[in-house]
Amino acid sequence: MSRTGRPTDDRKEDRLQFRLSEGDSNKLEYCCEVLGLTKAEVIRQGIDAMYIKAQKQK
């Protein structure tokens, strides 16, 4: 049995697993609560911010 969600042009097929310190986990939870975002959304926005920073250094 397969589950089908809403169609999207931005499929998220890659999975990433990592460990966080308690402090980093608390920071992530805080950001989620204050910003009203999921953990995945906060992490994606962080990746975008770091990508822009890296592009500026080039």
Side-chain angles (χ1 to χ4, degrees):
M1 176 181 215
S2 67
R3 293 179 58 177
T4 306
R6 288 181 275 166
T8 179
D9 292 333
D10 188 20
R11 295 180 65 185
K12 292 159 184 73
E13 296 179 1
D14 290 343
R15 290 180 77 71
L16 181 63
Q17 188 175 31
F18 55 93
R19 294 174 182 244
L20 293 175
S21 69
E22 184 177 350
D24 287 341
S25 182
N26 290 340
K27 290 176 189 176
L28 179 58
E29 289 288 339
Y30 177 79
C31 290
C32 292
E33 290 175 21
V34 171
L35 301 172
L37 301 171
T38 66
K39 290 178 183 179
E41 290 169 328
V42 170
I43 292 167
R44 284 188 199 106
Q45 288 185 16
I47 291 169
D48 288 341
M50 294 306 294
Y51 181 79
I52 291 168
K53 183 177 179 177
Q55 289 294 309
K56 288 179 182 178
Q57 287 186 2
K58 213 173 180 191

